[in-house]
Amino acid sequence: MCIAVSTGLRLSDVLALTRRHCTSDGLLVRPSKTARSSGKKLLFVWTPELRALVDYPEGDERPADDTPLAEAD
């Protein structure tokens, strides 16, 4: 829920987030509502708060790209 509040994404879009959405610049997301219309992607630039919420791992310890953010250690 904190990611939803911080980004303004719908809960369904937050639940669909995986490690694949984590880029070096931030979270790159195509909201489900725009996927059917304009298809635009949104980039949420990393802030200390967003990094803490996502718990983005550094180095070689990254989980698989399709690991849901909520289940990654």
Side-chain angles (χ1 to χ4, degrees), residues 3-52:
I3 293 175
V5 171
S6 296
T7 61
L9 289 171
R10 291 172 182 80
L11 183 57
S12 60
D13 291 327
V14 172
L15 293 174
L17 289 175
T18 64
R19 291 287 169 186
R20 186 176 307 128
H21 295 98
C22 297
T23 69
S24 59
D25 296 327
L27 284 178
L28 186 61
V29 182
R30 179 180 297 154
S32 58
K33 189 170 182 178
T34 62
R36 290 181 295 254
S37 57
S38 67
K40 290 185 180 182
K41 292 183 179 181
L42 300 175
L43 177 65
F44 298 96
V45 179
W46 291 123
T47 62
E49 295 80 15
L50 185 57
R51 269 199 196 267

